Amino acid sequence: DVQSLAGDSVDNIPGIPGIGIKTAALLINEYGDLEGLFKNSEKIKQKKRRENVIEFEDQAYISKLLVTLKNDVPLPMPINETTLKDIDAEKLISFLKEMEFKTFTEKKSKELNVDSEKIKASDQVEKFEKKIIDNPNKIEEFNSEFDIENYKIIQTLDELKQWNIKAENVGYVAFDTETNSLDAVKADMVGFSLCTSENDACYVPLLHDGEESEQIDFDEAIKILKIILENNGIKKILHNMKFDALVLDKYNIKIQNYDDTMLMSYSLGSGGIRHKLDTLIEYYFNHKAISFKELVGSGKDKKTFQELSITEAGKYAAEDADMTLRLWKRLKSSLVQNKQVKIYEIIEKPLAQVIMDMENHGISIDKDKLNELSKVFEKKLNSLEKNCYKLINEEINLGSPKQVGEVLFDRLKLSGGKKTSTGSWSTNAEVLENLANDGHGFPKLLLEWRALSKLKTTYSDALPTYLNEKTNRIHSSFSMATTSTGRLASSDPNLQNIPIRSEDGRMIRKAFIPEKGNILISSDYSQIELRLIAHIADERNLIKAFLEGVDIHSATASEVFNIPLKDMTPEIRRNAKAINFGIIYGISAFGLAKQLNVSRTESSEFIKAYFSKYPSIKDYMDETKKFASENGFVKTLLGRKCLVEDINSKNAATRSFMERAAINAPIQSSAADIIRLAMISLDDKKKTDKNFKADMLLQIHDELIFECSKTVKDYVVKCIKQSMSSVTSSEMHKFSIPLEVNVNSGYTWGEAH
């Protein structure tokens, strides 16, 4: 009865929205069983809980039917005949001892009344050797070869209907769309492919140019496709479901009951292998897929998919569906073997729909504001250029690394120059920052010029070009399976790299606006990574500081530099802040010395003092490096695997870099998991709470941006804060430190931050 109310997402048991195990247990304890609960549902004091219990009564009874074990199944023989009657006690105990089942050996010895001490371990039983393979997810290849000549082109409605029947019979179908654009919000579907077993795949052309007579009527095909994709009894298998779902949304098709092989692969381990379909197929099955780039060409001769002949398009598209199905069969078992089902089912799979809705909704911008900013930036850039020219007594192209390098190291003869593999001087940010810290004026101005130039070209000039003509909003794409840490990656345009510390960067954020009558809300986790390292390392001093609400950087400064809190200065606090965050990223004494502008001896002493005050963090770092070296991966709080390749590299620089990555990955990746869970929680809130009328617009690392009516702002803020702060309260990922959430609102993103 408890499970009937709480449901189970892994087994697709719906339960009642908003009711978890604890609440369900309380209700059943109070009312006895489901029947008693529904007879007394009007007596439930909590309004929302009462409404949900009443509204979803039928769903609870369906859930009970699903979770109740059947005890009336006919058996081919009486149950007592299935027991083993004659047991060779000595042989059994010998086998158990060989397999090192110590507890079980003792238990069976007592039951069989034998002395296990007198029985030797068997030497007849094979010893299983652990096979070391280059990747724990790689299994033996399938025997079946890809046969692209066996793929079919579907050109009649009757043929397409037969594929619906096929899918119903086997219970699953791999599916892929082919479109005329890589922008899912703008794209039209040119055709789609289906596959129900290896080499049994087809392509359904719909909008190929000049071949109308060979294609099914678009609207009629959409009707049948809707039946297939919305049938809950058929598992739909896709690679990057989010893209296909966004394309299909404009045709009013909502994919039900799906698996996403890209997210299944990513759940097995972020980092390492790329999660593109053709890359995975080559890795798992040693099969080289038809190249999309070679198919459509490049340069002036490049075609759209719509311009391809149906025959060549069909082989490519059907192969995609075939590859997706094979990959699904492989990854299903790998998720179980690698104990990553929870990551896939509880985080990745539900999040895909949340992000799809977020991308679909988009965000508004003030074009006039951006145009004004471009003009302001242009004036500043001209001024910076003139000042640069004065310092070097000549005019050069500041955007040319070659010319800049020649001025710095050939003409001005500055020290610290490094040459690239091409023989040119390196003028990257690190080189320029070192020179600027040494007091050289030209590198300092050049860094300002570069930062402002990037703001202008990447944002104030470019953002208006991303406006969708139909929605008049920007629809950034958020990749779920790109980063090694589980963070989302934004593109077209990338909205995650807008500077927040500079005034110019903040001006860009002020160009993001809500619709008339609405307001923007920004919510972010406060110092989440520091809280995580305190929790993961179980560092009691840091945990105590967080629980007491002490400023964590001041607390660290007080501990490390032996300075009372009342005597804290801003400079000392800044140094402690640099150490706090530097430790998370495995900073070296050399790196910290550069950051604090002190000697390496001083920075080494700072780090030594830090570890003496927070010894558990040093233990965590040492243990994590050792675990990563032995296993090739590290884990997040929720069990996500982050692969750390080359951690045993013979190259000291590579090995050191990967060790720092290993230290940081459990922290940054756990933070990424928490924000993902928060997004899912808030999406559930929107579905179950009619008063929570807010749209999620953006995710920027630890920050979420929402848009809502001004009239409901206070309630929305309250709900956001409550949902985000309670993400780590369940037993599955209980957290020793409360999460602190900052929530602000305003009429621009800049104001809301």
Side-chain angles (χ1 to χ4, degrees):
D1 288 49
V2 168
Q3 196 175 3
S4 304
L5 293 175
D8 187 334
S9 60
V10 175
D11 286 335
N12 289 319
I13 310 299
I16 292 181
I19 293 184
I21 290 292
K22 290 181 180 178
T23 303
L26 287 172
L27 291 171
I28 297 303
N29 278 335
E30 186 170 354
Y31 297 107
D33 53 23
L34 284 189
E35 290 72 17
L37 171 63
F38 292 119
K39 282 178 185 176
N40 296 280
S41 54
E42 294 291 348
K43 296 178 182 177
I44 298 173
K45 294 176 183 178
Q46 296 85 351
K47 183 185 175 187
K48 191 60 196 173
R49 188 181 297 173
R50 181 173 65 249
E51 289 174 351
N52 282 354
V53 168
I54 293 169
E55 183 180 350
F56 294 98
E57 178 178 344
D58 290 344
Q59 196 162 291
Y61 279 117
I62 291 170
S63 298
K64 185 169 183 178
L65 185 65
L66 291 170
V67 301
T68 302
L69 296 176
K70 289 186 70 66
N71 58 8
D72 57 352
V73 179
L75 299 175
M77 66 176 75
I79 193 71
N80 59 356
E81 288 187 17
T82 65
T83 58
L84 188 61
K85 294 183 176 66
D86 299 317
I87 297 176
D88 185 328
E90 187 171 337
K91 191 174 182 181
L92 173 62
I93 299 305
S94 178
F95 171 81
L96 293 177
K97 290 183 80 171
E98 172 65 22
M99 292 294 100
E100 297 181 0
F101 293 144
K102 294 177 182 176
T103 304
F104 196 46
T105 300
E106 292 174 14
K107 180 182 177 184
K108 298 313 291 183
S109 297
K110 288 178 182 177
E111 286 181 12
L112 298 169
N113 197 25
V114 295
D115 185 354
S116 62
E117 295 297 322
K118 294 180 179 179
I119 301 174
K120 292 182 179 179
S122 170
D123 56 3
Q124 305 297 315
V125 183
E126 277 188 9
K127 290 186 176 181
F128 296 96
E129 293 181 355
K130 183 182 178 184
K131 293 184 179 179
I132 306 300
I133 54 177
D134 59 341
N135 186 303
N137 303 333
K138 190 169 183 179
I139 312 171
E140 72 283 350
E141 296 171 6
F142 273 0
N143 292 323
S144 59
E145 298 291 329
F146 284 83
D147 184 6
I148 61 174
E149 301 304 326
N150 195 46
Y151 300 148
K152 300 171 182 66
I153 304 294
I154 303 301
Q155 294 169 304
T156 70
L157 282 173
D158 285 340
E159 287 178 299
L160 182 54
K161 288 174 182 175
Q162 286 302 310
W163 278 84
N164 180 31
I165 295 170
K166 271 186 173 185
E168 285 184 329
N169 287 340
V170 297
Y172 53 78
V173 62
F175 168 79
D176 187 37
T177 57
E178 300 301 341
T179 63
N180 57 5
S181 171
L182 294 178
D183 184 335
V185 176
K186 293 180 181 177
D188 295 314
M189 185 164 59
V190 175
F192 61 88
S193 52
L194 302 166
C195 181
T196 53
S197 64
E198 288 88 347
N199 292 324
D200 188 12
C202 72
Y203 178 58
V204 184
L206 297 173
L207 292 178
H208 285 267
D209 292 343
E211 302 190 40
E212 290 83 357
S213 61
E214 299 181 32
Q215 301 175 85
I216 303 172
D217 177 78
F218 189 91
D219 292 337
E220 292 300 319
I222 288 295
K223 287 178 185 176
I224 298 173
L225 184 60
K226 185 178 176 71
I227 291 170
I228 296 172
L229 297 182
E230 294 188 352
N231 184 344
N232 251 317
I234 300 173
K235 173 79 77 176
K236 271 67 65 178
I237 305 146
L238 305 95
H239 194 83
N240 191 10
M241 183 282 305
K242 180 168 67 71
F243 179 89
D244 300 286
L246 279 167
V247 172
L248 293 166
D249 189 66
K250 62 173 64 71
Y251 307 115
N252 194 31
I253 295 177
K254 310 291 183 188
I255 304 173
Q256 304 294 330
N257 185 13
Y258 68 88
D259 268 335
D260 186 331
T261 49
M262 181 183 77
L263 298 182
M264 292 170 82
S265 175
Y266 191 63
S267 299
L268 284 166
S270 56
I273 191 169
R274 295 176 70 195
H275 303 280
K276 289 175 60 181
L277 180 60
D278 52 357
T279 303
L280 292 171
I281 287 298
E282 188 168 1
Y283 175 75
Y284 281 111
F285 304 112
N286 198 27
H287 173 71
K288 188 83 171 171
I290 299 170
S291 166
F292 179 80
K293 192 173 181 179
E294 290 175 11
L295 191 67
V296 299
S298 58
K300 293 180 181 178
D301 299 325
K302 186 176 181 180
K303 299 177 182 178
T304 66
F305 202 85
Q306 201 163 343
E307 293 170 325
L308 295 175
S309 73
I310 287 176
T311 302
E312 57 185 346
K315 289 179 180 179
Y316 168 83
E319 185 186 47
D320 266 7
D322 190 358
M323 291 192 298
T324 303
L325 183 71
R326 294 171 192 246
L327 191 58
W328 175 67
K329 290 182 177 180
R330 171 63 53 79
L331 297 180
K332 270 202 314 176
S333 58
S334 291
L335 282 171
V336 176
Q337 291 165 7
N338 288 272
K339 298 180 181 178
Q340 296 298 295
V341 174
K342 180 175 71 176
I343 294 295
Y344 173 65
E345 291 287 351
I346 293 175
I347 301 180
E348 301 299 345
K349 190 173 169 182
L351 184 67
Q353 185 66 45
V354 179
I355 295 177
M356 191 204 95
D357 292 340
M358 186 171 75
E359 290 181 5
N360 221 0
H361 196 275
I363 188 168
S364 295
I365 58 169
D366 185 337
K367 285 199 296 183
D368 294 336
K369 176 74 173 175
L370 289 168
N371 288 333
E372 287 174 19
L373 280 176
S374 284
K375 292 173 185 176
V376 171
F377 292 163
E378 185 68 34
K379 287 181 181 178
K380 285 186 177 181
L381 286 168
N382 289 335
S383 176
L384 283 168
E385 281 180 2
K386 288 176 183 177
N387 290 333
C388 282
Y389 299 155
K390 283 180 185 177
L391 287 173
I392 60 175
N393 295 318
E394 68 172 301
E395 292 188 11
I396 64 169
N397 178 2
L398 297 180
S400 166
K402 185 174 184 296
Q403 291 184 36
V404 168
E406 288 170 353
V407 168
L408 290 171
F409 304 112
D410 291 334
R411 193 165 71 74
L412 298 179
K413 305 293 184 184
L414 299 183
S415 60
K418 299 175 185 176
K419 289 202 172 183
T420 65
S421 56
T422 61
S424 300
W425 291 107
S426 172
T427 60
N428 61 25
E430 184 182 2
V431 170
L432 294 181
E433 283 167 4
N434 287 339
L435 293 172
N437 289 336
D438 289 340
H440 300 296
F442 174 56
K444 184 179 179 182
L445 283 182
L446 186 59
L447 282 168
E448 289 181 40
W449 182 88
R450 281 187 180 179
L452 189 58
S453 180
K454 184 177 180 181
L455 270 182
K456 183 177 182 295
T457 56
T458 308
Y459 296 111
S460 63
D461 289 351
L463 283 175
T465 67
Y466 286 100
L467 278 172
N468 184 292
E469 292 178 6
K470 293 180 181 177
T471 65
N472 202 34
R473 294 169 78 89
I474 286 176
H475 301 268
S476 180
S477 177
F478 288 85
S479 172
M480 295 178 64
T482 304
T483 68
S484 61
T485 58
R487 278 185 164 184
L488 300 182
S490 167
S491 61
D492 303 318
N494 182 353
L495 300 180
Q496 294 182 330
N497 287 345
I498 303 174
I500 189 59
R501 290 189 178 90
S502 72
E503 179 57 32
D504 291 327
R506 289 193 289 271
M507 292 303 292
I508 294 289
R509 291 188 176 216
K510 287 180 180 178
F512 289 82
I513 56 174
E515 298 291 342
K516 191 174 181 180
N518 286 355
I519 197 163
L520 294 182
I521 295 171
S522 167
S523 58
D524 70 290
Y525 286 113
S526 173
Q527 300 174 329
I528 188 169
E529 292 184 355
L530 289 176
R531 293 168 190 267
L532 279 164
I533 195 169
H535 170 80
I536 293 172
D538 195 26
E539 177 46 65
R540 306 316 300 175
N541 289 331
L542 271 181
I543 291 172
K544 182 173 180 285
F546 275 119
L547 292 176
E548 292 176 353
V550 177
D551 175 73
I552 201 64
H553 302 309
S554 296
T556 297
S558 180
E559 290 283 351
V560 173
F561 304 123
N562 293 314
I563 296 172
L565 288 172
K566 62 183 177 64
D567 298 331
M568 194 61 54
T569 66
E571 185 181 357
I572 294 172
R573 184 185 179 277
R574 275 195 301 273
N575 288 349
K577 183 176 180 180
I579 297 172
N580 268 332
F581 285 110
I583 292 296
I584 293 173
Y585 293 95
I587 199 167
S588 64
F590 175 73
L592 186 61
K594 276 178 60 181
Q595 201 165 332
L596 299 181
N597 197 24
V598 297
S599 69
R600 286 185 65 176
T601 303
E602 282 181 284
S603 67
S604 294
E605 288 301 316
F606 289 162
I607 292 174
K608 188 176 177 182
Y610 183 94
F611 287 140
S612 71
K613 296 296 182 181
Y614 301 134
S616 296
I617 290 182
K618 182 68 167 68
D619 293 342
Y620 157 76
M621 293 169 72
D622 292 340
E623 288 165 10
T624 301
K625 285 191 287 187
K626 183 183 177 186
F627 182 90
S629 176
E630 292 173 353
N631 296 278
F633 64 86
V634 290
K635 283 187 175 184
T636 70
L637 279 177
L638 271 69
R640 180 192 296 277
K641 285 184 179 178
C642 304
L643 305 179
V644 278
E645 296 182 322
D646 296 327
I647 192 155
N648 295 315
S649 171
K650 293 178 181 178
N651 181 295
T654 301
R655 186 172 64 251
S656 178
F657 176 82
M658 294 311 299
E659 285 177 348
R660 291 195 299 273
I663 290 166
N664 176 249
I667 303 159
Q668 196 175 101
S669 298
S670 292
D673 284 343
I674 287 170
I675 194 90
R676 287 180 176 221
L677 287 169
M679 293 171 76
I680 295 165
S681 172
L682 284 160
D683 186 67
D684 289 341
K685 179 72 175 172
K686 185 177 178 180
K687 290 173 183 173
T688 57
D689 185 345
K690 294 173 183 176
N691 296 317
F692 183 73
K693 297 174 182 176
D695 294 304
M696 197 183 302
L697 308 185
L698 300 174
Q699 190 257 45
I700 312 295
H701 303 316
D702 300 330
E703 178 185 14
L704 295 175
I705 310 298
F706 298 85
E707 182 175 355
C708 70
S709 168
K710 288 183 284 186
T711 58
V712 297
K713 185 205 78 174
D714 291 343
Y715 182 71
V716 167
V717 166
K718 178 184 172 184
C719 291
I720 290 172
K721 199 159 190 172
Q722 193 279 328
S723 291
M724 289 182 69
S725 60
S726 62
V727 163
T728 57
S729 61
S730 74
E731 291 298 329
M732 187 180 73
H733 38 269
K734 201 133 189 167
F735 203 45
S736 56
I737 306 167
L739 292 178
E740 189 174 312
V741 181
N742 301 317
V743 185
N744 297 294
S745 61
Y747 294 103
T748 71
W749 181 11
E751 288 178 12
H753 195 274

